[in-house]
Amino acid sequence: MMLISEDLPDADTSLKFVENELLDLQCNYNAMISNTKHRFFLSLFFFMSGLSFSTWASRIPTIKTAFGFNEAELGSLLLALPIGSLLGLPLSGWLVSKYNSRVPLTVGYGLNAFSLALIGFSYNTFSLVVAVVLFAFTTRIFNISVNTQAITLQKRFDKKIMGSFHGYWSMGGIAGILLSTLLLELNVSIQHHFIAVAIVMLLITLYSYQFLLHGDKAKTGNKLILSKPDPYIFYLGSVVFLCAICEGGMFDWSGIYFQEIIKVEIFTYGYLIFMTFMATSRFLSDIIISRFGMPKTYIMSAVFIISGIGLATIFPYFWPAMIGFSLVGFGTAAIIPMSYALAGASKKYSAGMAISIIATYSITGMLLGPPLIGYLAHAFNLRVSFIIFALCGALLIPITRMFFKHQKLSSETV
């Protein structure tokens, strides 16, 4: 009996082992619940971000009519968006490197709600431009912050979740368009529309702040290095630049296209179908990327953009345009999430700084895209100007091939 008792583990040791195992399980469970909660409220911020932007974009035709702008004048107004974003870029990059990203995210989002309300209550061109610049400025601050949070949270999950965050942005966009469509049917003024959305944004911001990630400030890679451009960032930036021209142009001009070319009374249809398929694609993008890989997904995205624009411009009728805009939405959707995820893997910069640099290319695309469409539409017609989107889609193919070739060569030399 003595031999048997000596072979058995000590009762206290066994009890302590079980307690430690239970404690580890409890800690893992608490971490899982915490990460799930972070993901939910971060998704909510992406959703409201999409709602905010689509609220503005879906009412551009209303603003065009109210102020009596022609296409060139509207294009000049839309220059205020990228100018405001450029002004916000250095500040947003500095903020996410200086503080935890939830601080600029919350402040930027609250001010964005305020600026949206100002757009609705602008009664002359000067005040409208100031409000639009402030709207773009604050959008840039919280966009970089929210994507920094998303990349940090992604590292806590085994499966890919970046695409789903941008999917919620698109869902917010759809919600904004549906709301705009309903309020247009009810003849609700743009002032009441924008102030109602702004109030909801502020309430959600105040409540959700406590659930954002803490302590995500990067310790290294926070300084912008002024030297020869990093090829890794340059290629990704070029991809985002081309996508920004397509997305920005579709955001700002799809309503005008359906109003003036397709000639439908409810001009939000084009924007709605574009955003619906963009959201669908973004929720599926993580699965698609896992199945086909990023190189093939980029090429498929380019093909969808080219074919969609071709269909909508060659056959300028309701259903061909609806199908064409849906293809463009499906094509553009995965490009930004993929590029931001790749930027977060930069060996030279922290995630926040890499995204801030990539955002410069995006802003430049926004700077050139919508105004360029306006000027070309004024000089020729709106159908001709939309060919720019197909050209950008075509250029995505060689640039992404060069990026992945560079990435492969870099990994082989390490």
Side-chain angles (χ1 to χ4, degrees):
M1 293 295 292
M2 284 294 293
L3 289 174
I4 295 175
S5 63
E6 287 177 356
D7 290 337
L8 291 174
D10 181 76
D12 291 339
T13 303
S14 299
L15 182 59
K16 188 173 182 180
F17 175 78
V18 172
E19 288 176 347
N20 288 336
E21 286 295 308
L22 290 174
L23 183 62
D24 288 342
L25 288 173
Q26 183 65 41
C27 289
N28 291 334
Y29 176 77
N30 291 339
M32 182 182 69
I33 295 298
S34 177
N35 290 336
T36 302
K37 188 178 291 185
H38 287 316
R39 184 180 181 184
F40 173 81
F41 282 97
L42 194 56
S43 298
L44 183 59
F45 269 103
F46 271 95
F47 179 89
M48 292 303 298
S49 173
L51 177 68
S52 170
F53 188 84
S54 68
T55 297
W56 140 257
S58 61
R59 282 288 200 162
I60 289 176
T62 303
I63 294 172
K64 180 177 183 290
T65 301
F67 284 84
F69 293 144
N70 60 34
E71 282 78 5
E73 290 169 336
L74 180 59
S76 297
L77 170 67
L78 296 177
L79 275 171
L81 282 169
I83 289 173
S85 291
L86 282 172
L87 292 174
L89 180 63
L91 177 61
S92 57
W94 177 79
L95 285 172
V96 296
S97 64
K98 185 74 173 176
Y99 304 100
N100 296 327
S101 59
R102 70 177 191 150
V103 175
L105 168 57
T106 306
V107 174
Y109 201 73
L111 291 175
N112 186 256
F114 174 73
S115 63
L116 180 66
L118 284 181
I119 293 175
F121 285 92
S122 298
Y123 291 99
N124 57 63
T125 303
F126 176 78
S127 63
L128 178 63
V129 169
V130 171
V132 171
V133 167
L134 181 61
F135 180 77
F137 180 86
T138 53
T139 298
R140 176 52 48 204
I141 291 175
F142 76 70
N143 269 348
I144 291 178
S145 305
V146 78
N147 277 286
T148 301
Q149 286 250 330
I151 289 175
T152 302
L153 189 59
Q154 169 68 86
K155 296 174 182 177
R156 302 185 183 184
F157 286 81
D158 294 329
K159 63 180 181 180
K160 294 183 181 298
I161 60 173
M162 277 295 292
S164 66
F165 283 131
H166 290 266
Y168 283 112
W169 186 92
S170 298
M171 287 295 292
I174 294 171
I177 301 163
L178 290 173
L179 179 61
S180 295
T181 303
L182 174 63
L183 296 183
L184 283 168
E185 287 279 6
L186 298 175
N187 292 318
V188 175
S189 69
I190 190 173
Q191 292 84 6
H192 291 143
H193 180 186
F194 281 17
I195 195 67
V197 173
I199 291 172
V200 172
M201 289 171 62
L202 286 172
L203 292 175
I204 289 177
T205 300
L206 292 173
Y207 179 74
S208 302
Y209 172 77
Q210 60 188 311
F211 300 108
L212 295 174
L213 289 174
H214 298 253
D216 63 340
K217 176 188 172 183
K219 295 180 174 60
T220 60
N222 289 322
K223 292 184 179 180
L224 178 63
I225 302 172
L226 298 176
S227 60
K228 183 180 178 180
D230 178 18
Y232 186 93
I233 295 295
F234 175 75
Y235 286 130
L236 283 179
S238 299
V239 170
V240 170
F241 167 77
L242 295 171
C243 183
I245 291 178
C246 294
E247 280 197 24
M250 292 297 290
F251 290 150
D252 293 350
W253 287 98
S254 57
I256 305 295
Y257 193 89
F258 265 67
Q259 184 183 54
E260 298 185 0
I261 302 299
I262 310 302
K263 298 187 183 304
V264 294
E265 185 177 351
I266 306 301
F267 51 76
T268 53
Y269 283 142
Y271 192 12
L272 176 60
I273 197 70
F274 170 75
M275 290 296 293
T276 300
F277 276 81
M278 175 179 276
T280 303
S281 179
R282 281 183 168 167
F283 281 114
L284 294 174
S285 63
D286 291 329
I287 300 173
I288 294 171
I289 293 167
S290 298
R291 173 68 178 84
F292 297 101
M294 286 189 178
K296 290 183 179 179
T297 304
Y298 273 118
I299 293 175
M300 288 189 294
S301 298
V303 172
F304 278 124
I305 293 171
I306 297 167
S307 56
I309 291 297
L311 183 61
T313 54
I314 295 173
F315 303 100
Y317 309 105
F318 183 78
W319 285 113
M322 289 285 281
I323 296 171
F325 276 33
S326 68
L327 291 175
V328 178
F330 204 87
T332 56
I335 296 173
I336 295 295
M338 283 193 295
S339 301
Y340 277 8
L342 288 167
S346 171
K347 295 179 174 61
K348 188 173 183 178
Y349 295 105
S350 66
M353 184 55 68
I355 291 175
S356 180
I357 297 171
I358 294 294
T360 307
Y361 292 87
S362 174
I363 293 165
T364 305
M366 291 288 184
L367 174 65
L368 295 177
L372 179 61
I373 295 299
Y375 298 142
L376 288 175
H378 187 69
F380 302 100
N381 61 64
L382 198 56
R383 285 175 63 195
V384 171
S385 66
F386 266 48
I387 296 174
I388 293 294
F389 304 146
L391 177 61
C392 290
L395 288 173
L396 284 171
I397 297 175
I399 293 176
T400 54
R401 287 173 63 89
M402 287 188 288
F403 168 77
F404 287 108
K405 182 179 180 180
H406 168 77
Q407 188 184 42
K408 182 178 179 181
L409 290 173
S410 298
S411 61
E412 290 175 352
T413 56
V414 173

